[in-house]
Amino acid sequence: MKTTFRKKLLVTLVASMWLPLVASAADADLMKKIEDLSRELQALKSQVTANEQKAAAQAQPPAPAQAAELADLKRQVTKLEDKSLSKWLSVGGDYRFRIDSLKGQTKTFTDVNATFANAQSALQADFFGNPSAVAGSSRYFGALEAGSMSTAGALTALMGFAQGMNGVATYEQAQTFLANPMNAGMVQGMGGFAATVPAYKPKNTTLYSNRFGLDLSAKALQDVTVNAHLNMYKVFGSQSEGAITNAGSAPFFADRVGAFDGTIGHVPSNSYLNVDRVYATWSNIADEPIWVSVGRRPSTGGAPSNLRENRPTPGNGGTPALLVDYAFDGMTVGYAPDIDGWPGAYAKICYGRGFENGFTDSSGNSLKDTDMLGVAIIPIDTDPLRVWLQWNRGMNIFDAPAMSNTYFGNTAASTNLGDIDWFGVGFMSTFKDIGPGKLNVFGDLGVSRTHPNNNVSAQFGFQGLMTGTFFDPHAPTSKTGTAIALGLRYDLPSNSKFGFEYNHGSKNWITFAPAADDLWTAKAGTRGDVYEAYFIQELDHKPISSYFSKAFFRVGVQYYNFDYTGSNNWVGAPVAISDVNGQMMTTTPLENATNLYATFEVKF
């Protein structure tokens, strides 16, 4: 029996040694078949061309036999072309190397997260150093006016305070909670553990990053296509987003706390290749200019951000970058009628899900899904002029997305804060023969309007939708904000391009653009002013992979001047930067920031 087993083992080992050779041979056979098929197709095309030229030279119809031979050759060519991958599948992509140099100026504030950590650490140390239930034994809350607590009582009170906070869901409950003398004393006592962070100048002189994208487009059936975009985005020497989140300290902005579903692949994180977009589109429904598309949507990098990124106009799948830059899963129904005087006009209704809650039950999970509904009307879409009108509504807005390993730990949505309406109107236009080149200009106007419900976020100190500050809840009130984006780019025949852009957001402006290609924070959501100047130089080399292939360098600078706190954050009310002086805050308040950057990019 042992001899039989040894023989089987020997046979298995010898066979396994040949497996790579067999696989290699199979690959070689496949490549040979592809090469033979390509040569056969080229030979048939040449033969068809020669026969057609011969018939034309004779200036008379070919003989029946010759005509049949020619028709047969054409059928063979068509059959071989139908087998070709290029008939139904196109592949493209992009690569970007980028270097950034960032610096800023903060304001003095009290770090909420560090303050709670200090309190917990101090009270634990006090208890373990003197585990006592004797009234007044606490070093921190033993005084009569502080409640004459013991070391055990003070630690228990802190834990009870934290648990009680988590049970607060509404504005009225928050008022009741803070009015409780025990809780009010604990809030006041927190001042003794305050982690005050003096103003400082954060900087990162050299931040290198790689970004890679792969595009696939498959024609599955007549009028049915599937498009996909895979991408990876990471900084050199790291497999996390810590380089842009101020790792170890309070982050600067809510949209740069960590990577989550709406931003993965759009802010630096790791080297995983993510499915950024994948959607199926059915066009020409009932032989009408109607289309339906469903999947992970092309809802990032919309107009006019394509100008500074040196990309073509997004087409009918994009959304205005001032209002939305978020990787949504959803669907679209569109209609593009042929109307005289309105070239390229189309309209569409879009739906997306920004947060999926999962199962709900009667035990307390009252969260609702966060959805987005949008209507876009593009009355003109031509090379010289593109105009858009947009309305979006975000419903059941969450207080925090699901993120892992952030400064606040693993975060998750804990409540719905209400709804937000957005309205936008904008244009892009190109003027040719302006001097030696052409001038591209754009203008975009956005308005946001919040509709808060009665809920507050316990994990953010009872702040609501654009209302209240930490431990200071305010009654829910609607807030209206405005924003503008203006810009131009001048293109020279030498493939040199000079651009300038300006953004301004008001005190109560809020957008939905955490996936924007800005490292500090999405400039579209800034409450203040952002200035950006850039230069692009394309290489004058012949494209090979496709007609649209190109490589270019881009250098630029962004300068942020913040008027209010909370840019790109809908939790809590904005505070004037000039008034910030030690208040309790969850994020580090920036007064101004600069980003110098340079890229080398290849589109294929």
Side-chain angles (χ1 to χ4, degrees):
M1 182 175 179
K2 291 183 179 179
T3 302
T4 304
F5 174 75
R6 290 195 186 104
K7 288 182 178 180
K8 290 183 177 180
L9 178 62
L10 180 61
V11 170
T12 302
L13 291 173
V14 171
S16 67
M17 293 172 62
W18 284 94
L19 281 175
L21 296 178
V22 172
S24 177
D27 290 343
D29 289 343
L30 179 60
M31 292 302 298
K32 186 176 183 302
K33 289 179 180 179
I34 293 175
E35 292 173 358
D36 291 343
L37 186 63
S38 299
R39 284 194 293 268
E40 183 181 353
L41 176 60
Q42 189 59 43
L44 285 171
K45 285 184 175 181
S46 300
Q47 188 174 349
V48 170
T49 301
N51 287 346
E52 288 177 338
Q53 291 175 347
K54 182 177 179 182
Q58 293 175 351
Q60 60 182 5
Q66 188 179 5
E69 181 183 358
L70 186 61
D72 183 59
L73 284 172
K74 287 184 177 180
R75 281 193 296 271
Q76 292 183 55
V77 170
T78 301
K79 185 176 180 180
L80 287 172
E81 285 181 335
D82 288 341
K83 293 181 179 179
S84 173
L85 279 176
S86 61
K87 180 76 173 181
W88 62 274
L89 179 67
S90 61
V91 180
D94 62 272
Y95 167 77
R96 183 180 80 183
F97 163 73
R98 176 166 173 151
I99 177 173
D100 291 87
S101 181
L102 304 108
K103 64 179 182 179
Q105 175 64 61
T106 73
K107 299 280 286 187
T108 300
F109 77 108
T110 298
D111 185 337
V112 168
N113 202 53
T115 296
F116 271 85
N118 286 349
Q120 181 178 1
S121 177
L123 295 182
Q124 284 178 343
D126 192 26
F127 171 75
F128 290 121
N130 178 26
S132 171
V134 177
S137 59
S138 172
R139 293 171 53 194
Y140 303 99
F141 293 95
L144 181 63
E145 60 271 18
S148 299
M149 295 184 187
S150 64
T151 58
L155 187 57
T156 301
L158 178 64
M159 292 187 293
F161 180 83
Q163 291 174 355
M165 275 188 67
N166 291 333
V168 172
T170 67
Y171 167 67
E172 288 80 11
Q173 290 175 1
Q175 285 187 310
T176 301
F177 178 86
L178 293 172
N180 181 294
M182 180 72 74
N183 294 331
M186 188 61 69
V187 170
Q188 185 176 1
M190 282 290 175
F193 309 101
T196 300
V197 182
Y200 69 100
K201 296 182 178 181
K203 68 176 181 178
N204 189 338
T205 54
T206 53
L207 178 65
Y208 302 109
S209 63
N210 278 322
R211 191 183 71 183
F212 169 73
L214 183 64
D215 295 309
L216 303 171
S217 181
K219 299 176 182 177
L221 303 169
Q222 182 179 350
D223 298 328
V224 177
T225 60
V226 175
N227 293 281
H229 177 72
L230 315 179
N231 69 348
M232 176 279 292
Y233 189 13
K234 70 178 294 290
V235 300
F236 281 27
S238 176
Q239 286 286 336
S240 76
E241 53 271 28
I244 64 165
T245 61
N246 201 24
S249 301
F252 299 109
F253 298 98
D255 63 338
R256 296 297 179 262
V257 171
F260 58 96
D261 181 61
T263 65
I264 191 73
H266 294 274
V267 298
S269 55
N270 55 48
S271 57
Y272 296 161
L273 194 62
N274 302 289
V275 180
D276 177 41
R277 294 192 302 269
V278 58
Y279 55 96
T281 304
W282 177 20
S283 304
N284 299 320
I285 299 174
D287 292 326
E288 295 291 338
I290 301 172
W291 74 92
V292 174
S293 184
V294 63
R296 191 152 174 86
R297 310 301 303 151
S299 51
T300 57
S305 65
N306 58 292
L307 282 179
R308 69 164 177 159
E309 295 175 17
N310 204 25
R311 294 183 286 104
T313 304
N316 61 20
T319 56
L322 185 61
L323 301 186
V324 174
D325 208 320
Y326 190 102
F328 270 107
D329 302 287
M331 57 199 72
T332 294
V333 177
Y335 177 55
D338 186 7
I339 303 175
D340 291 339
W342 301 95
Y346 65 92
K348 59 181 180 177
I349 299 174
C350 306
Y351 163 80
R353 173 147 294 174
F355 165 71
E356 167 59 46
N357 173 52
F359 293 108
T360 59
D361 54 48
S362 58
S363 64
N365 181 6
S366 58
L367 274 174
K368 297 179 181 178
D369 301 327
T370 298
D371 294 322
M372 177 82 79
L373 182 66
V375 176
I377 299 175
I378 291 76
I380 298 176
D381 189 5
T382 63
D383 289 337
L385 179 63
R386 186 174 193 263
V387 177
W388 59 85
L389 305 168
Q390 184 83 22
W391 167 78
N392 299 327
R393 167 163 279 210
M395 296 169 283
N396 304 312
I397 299 295
F398 52 76
D399 59 344
M403 296 178 286
S404 301
N405 302 318
T406 75
Y407 181 64
F408 310 106
N410 294 338
T411 68
S414 65
T415 188
N416 302 114
L417 297 176
D419 302 337
I420 304 177
D421 279 319
W422 287 276
F423 306 89
V425 56
F427 76 93
M428 295 178 65
S429 188
T430 300
F431 300 93
K432 297 181 179 179
D433 301 324
I434 304 297
K438 65 178 181 180
L439 181 65
N440 305 276
V441 299
F442 71 81
D444 208 355
L445 172 66
V447 177
S448 62
R449 177 73 173 174
T450 63
H451 306 283
N453 54 28
N454 211 35
N455 293 343
V456 294
S457 174
Q459 62 182 332
F460 293 113
F462 312 139
Q463 298 177 90
L465 184 61
M466 300 281 290
T467 60
T469 57
F470 206 92
F471 284 155
D472 184 18
H474 290 185
T477 55
S478 294
K479 303 291 180 62
T480 299
T482 58
I484 59 170
L486 303 171
L488 57 85
R489 193 186 75 189
Y490 188 63
D491 302 349
L492 291 169
S494 60
N495 287 329
S496 302
K497 304 175 182 182
F498 301 85
F500 178 79
E501 297 184 3
Y502 169 72
N503 286 75
H504 174 78
S506 70
K507 175 182 178 180
N508 293 309
W509 165 247
I510 184 63
T511 186
F512 213 78
D517 192 22
D518 305 302
L519 285 186
W520 275 116
T521 187
K523 69 177 186 176
T526 298
R527 292 169 183 159
D529 303 295
V530 184
Y531 307 86
E532 180 170 6
Y534 61 88
F535 168 72
I536 297 170
Q537 180 59 61
E538 296 185 4
L539 301 184
D540 188 18
H541 289 221
K542 179 182 177 181
I544 295 177
S545 62
S546 78
Y547 176 77
F548 300 103
S549 297
K550 59 185 174 183
F552 58 91
F553 294 92
R554 178 162 59 110
V555 295
V557 58
Q558 290 179 322
Y559 177 73
Y560 293 78
N561 184 43
F562 299 98
D563 294 332
Y564 296 90
T565 62
S567 293
N568 291 294
N569 187 7
W570 52 71
V571 179
V575 178
I577 289 293
S578 58
D579 294 337
V580 175
N581 187 21
Q583 296 98 316
M584 293 185 73
M585 295 184 174
T586 54
T587 57
T588 303
L590 268 181
E591 185 175 11
N592 58 68
T594 303
N595 182 14
L596 294 169
Y597 64 87
T599 73
F600 174 63
E601 306 183 46
V602 181
K603 313 287 186 182
F604 59 90

